[in-house]
């Protein structure tokens, strides 16, 4: 069989001020089978690849605030987007139903207090507690029915604190 995959990526990094940095990335993918028939006889000609979102994006903002006595306070925010994409419930051989995996939007926040070799970091991942998943599966022992699908979810919101020391 034949296939085609093409796309473009764009990255931007900007130092907005001495303490404020911004970066972003954007990716576009156009991938499809040109001439492909699976071993089960399913024809995929001009169909998009499964598991390949056409658009991904991220943006990061970092702020560094120097304080007295060599102490620094650092803040960061991160946003990530993955467009929806299609998955075949029949696996690589095809023959199953197509299922759309919904888009994913995630925001993470972090604040760090640093002095010399020590770092004290508080963080929140998945700030809006989005229920996202990046795969859906079907047990080989169950009927091919949407009620029998199960998802592989991404992590829920997590709040934490880390202490680290560099030696």
């Amino acid at each position: 069989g034949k296939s085609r995959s093409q796309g473009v990526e764009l990255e931007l990094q900007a130092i907005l001020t001495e303490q404020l940095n911004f970066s972003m990335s954007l990716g576009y993918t156009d991938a499809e089978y040109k001439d492909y028939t699976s071993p089960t006889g399913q024809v995929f000609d001009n169909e998009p690849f499964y598991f390949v979102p056409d658009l991904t994006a991220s943006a990061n903002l970092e702020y560094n605030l120097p304080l007295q006595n060599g102490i620094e306070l650092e803040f960061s925010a991160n946003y990530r987007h993955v467009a929806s994409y299609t998955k075949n419930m029949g696996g690589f051989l095809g023959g199953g139903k197509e299922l759309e995996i919904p888009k994913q939007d995630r925001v993470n926040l972090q604040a760090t207090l640093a002095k010399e070799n020590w770092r004290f970091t508080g963080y929140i991942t998945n700030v809006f507690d989005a229920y996202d998943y990046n795969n859906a599966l079907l047990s080989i022992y169950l009927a091919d029915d949407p009620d029998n699908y199960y998802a592989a979810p991404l992590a829920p919101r997590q709040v934490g604190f880390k202490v680290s020391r560099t030696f």
Side-chain angles (χ1 to χ4, degrees):
K2 296 180 181 177
S3 64
R4 176 188 48 76
S5 178
Q6 60 188 14
V8 63
E9 292 183 18
L10 171 70
E11 291 186 19
L12 171 74
Q13 293 183 342
I15 299 173
L16 303 174
T17 69
E18 194 171 300
Q19 288 117 351
L20 186 62
N21 295 316
F22 174 76
S23 63
M24 64 159 283
S25 65
L26 181 67
Y28 173 76
T29 304
D30 178 21
E32 65 181 31
Y33 298 102
K34 296 312 259 175
D35 178 22
Y36 175 71
T37 303
S38 76
T40 62
Q42 185 175 2
V43 177
F44 286 92
D45 296 356
N46 301 314
E47 294 290 326
F49 285 5
Y50 293 128
F51 287 106
V52 179
D54 61 355
L55 184 66
T56 58
S58 68
N60 301 290
L61 191 63
E62 298 175 351
Y63 183 72
N64 185 337
L65 179 64
L67 303 174
Q68 296 179 1
N69 300 322
I71 298 173
E72 291 186 357
L73 191 54
E74 304 165 356
F75 299 98
S76 66
N78 168 269
Y79 168 74
R80 181 171 176 258
H81 170 80
V82 176
S84 63
Y85 53 91
T86 304
K87 179 211 187 314
N88 184 313
M89 295 305 289
F92 178 72
L93 297 177
K97 296 177 182 170
E98 288 187 353
L99 178 69
E100 182 173 317
I101 304 297
K103 70 179 179 70
Q104 304 163 17
D105 291 291
R106 293 281 173 129
V107 174
N108 302 316
L109 300 174
Q110 181 172 297
T112 300
L113 185 66
K115 175 158 172 105
E116 297 173 2
N117 297 340
W118 288 95
R119 297 179 63 79
F120 303 89
T121 303
Y123 62 88
I124 304 173
T125 61
N126 190 8
V127 170
F128 300 109
D129 203 22
Y131 178 76
D132 299 320
Y133 55 96
N134 61 4
N135 199 355
L137 306 164
L138 172 67
S139 171
I140 61 172
Y141 303 107
L142 299 174
D144 187 5
D145 182 295
D147 289 339
N148 293 329
Y149 297 165
Y150 59 97
L154 299 175
R157 178 188 304 131
Q158 297 177 346
V159 178
F161 185 76
K162 301 184 285 188
V163 176
S164 60
R165 183 167 192 268
T166 305
F167 296 95

